[in-house]
Amino acid sequence: MSAELRHVRAFLAIADAGTITGAARALGIGQPALSRTLARLEGHLGVRLVDRSTHHLALTAAGTAFRERARRVVAEVDAVLDPARLTEWTTAPLRLGYAWSALGEQTPELLRRWRAARPGLPLELVQIDTADAGLADGRAHAAVVRGRVRVPGTRSARLPDERRVAALPEGDELAARPSVLLADLAARTVALNDETGTTTPGLWPAGARPSVSWVGSTAEWLVAIASGRAVGVTAAATAVLHRFPGVAYVPIADAPPLPVHLVWPDPPTHPAVPELLALVQRVSGADETPRG
């Protein structure tokens, strides 16, 4: 049993109207026909999208999740088929989001090579203090995401892992060492960002965890460390893009590496995302196949 775009549009009309009768009226078709269309889509997906047990219909959990992705897909199809938007869509800047540090020391190389390959299509790096670095609300067409972050409705490609470093006040005794251990930080207060940070208390063994000072942004994190109120743990790339007066970065010898991914909506919201993926993989040395 196959489904088509019209089935998806019918489902969205039902979700918006709250009743099959109202959706049928809005679409200009009969209620029985619309009910069959919905059943066809549910049969194709193998899951119930709409709970019909009450007079006022309600979406199931699967229906709610499907609605968000369906809206994005239908909007993209409408945009692709709009002749007036073709030129705009192919020349609009490509926005690469990141919460902390983009590609670290490889960021300038990425920008140089993109400018040489696509001089008419700007690649803009945008720092966005959300876990998905602006993917969910459309502020970014793709994002560099660190840690185990899952973003619904996206695909991802694994980039090389990064080592972790400690961020310390410059006058701290640990800042003069060539490297430190996690245990060296356990007696300190560690600044953590629970929205975009890649470090949690679980990085330390139970019973030997540091006290925590919560911060709301990268800037707050840097100020807390520079002022001596806390220390931090972050990706090595942060040390490249976030040099800050009073903050020193020292490698952590026994911290596990940090996974890094390039993540983008599926389907992409900019036609140049595949080119960006290929270049990011070349610049970073990654060669892994994208995952759904």
Side-chain angles (χ1 to χ4, degrees):
M1 180 177 292
S2 62
E4 303 171 0
L5 184 61
R6 62 185 179 89
H7 297 93
V8 179
R9 292 187 188 276
F11 163 75
L12 290 175
I14 294 170
D16 290 340
T19 66
I20 290 182
T21 301
R25 186 182 305 113
L27 294 172
I29 62 176
Q31 180 177 335
L34 183 56
S35 295
R36 290 193 298 270
T37 300
L38 174 60
R40 181 76 173 267
L41 177 62
E42 291 176 326
H44 172 77
L45 296 173
V47 65
R48 178 63 67 90
L49 300 174
V50 177
D51 183 356
R52 303 166 179 78
S53 62
T54 62
H55 293 294
H56 185 80
L57 300 185
L59 298 184
T60 64
T64 299
F66 181 74
R67 177 180 58 184
E68 298 309 311
R69 187 170 184 183
R71 280 180 172 164
R72 185 164 61 243
V73 169
V74 169
E76 285 301 314
V77 170
D78 290 342
V80 167
L81 297 179
D82 182 357
R85 294 190 60 186
L86 180 60
T87 300
E88 172 191 344
W89 200 54
T90 55
T91 60
L94 175 60
R95 298 186 300 274
L96 177 61
Y98 66 95
W100 282 75
S101 43
L103 291 184
E105 63 185 3
Q106 296 157 336
T107 302
E109 178 68 12
L110 172 68
L111 294 173
R112 282 194 296 267
R113 292 174 65 169
W114 181 268
R115 190 162 50 248
R118 294 297 305 269
L121 179 60
L123 174 60
E124 297 181 351
L125 267 63
V126 288
Q127 183 177 3
I128 301 173
D129 283 329
T130 62
D132 61 11
L135 285 181
D137 60 13
R139 285 183 287 171
H141 299 112
V144 178
V145 177
R146 289 173 170 81
R148 306 290 180 182
V149 177
R150 290 188 58 82
V151 185
T154 63
R155 300 188 70 195
S156 65
R158 185 75 175 259
L159 304 180
D161 292 350
E162 290 182 349
R163 61 188 176 90
R164 299 181 196 246
V165 299
L168 303 161
E170 280 187 344
D172 193 291
E173 61 176 347
L174 296 178
R177 297 185 184 181
S179 66
V180 298
L181 302 175
L182 287 172
D184 295 326
L185 306 176
R188 308 295 183 89
T189 297
V190 177
L192 299 181
N193 184 326
D194 60 352
E195 177 66 26
T196 64
T198 56
T199 303
T200 70
L203 189 63
W204 287 264
R209 292 174 178 169
S211 58
V212 172
S213 175
W214 296 103
V215 298
S217 68
T218 307
E220 289 182 24
W221 183 82
L222 289 166
V223 169
I225 294 165
S227 65
R229 292 193 292 111
V231 299
V233 174
T234 187
T238 303
V240 177
L241 291 192
H242 290 290
R243 300 186 183 279
F244 193 81
V247 176
Y249 295 98
V250 177
I252 303 175
D254 60 343
L258 187 64
V260 185
H261 293 84
L262 184 71
V263 186
W264 64 95
D266 183 22
T269 53
H270 194 290
V273 166
E275 294 176 65
L276 175 64
L277 168 62
L279 183 57
V280 167
Q281 289 178 318
R282 288 197 297 273
V283 169
S284 67
D287 58 1
E288 188 166 314
T289 302
R291 299 183 302 175

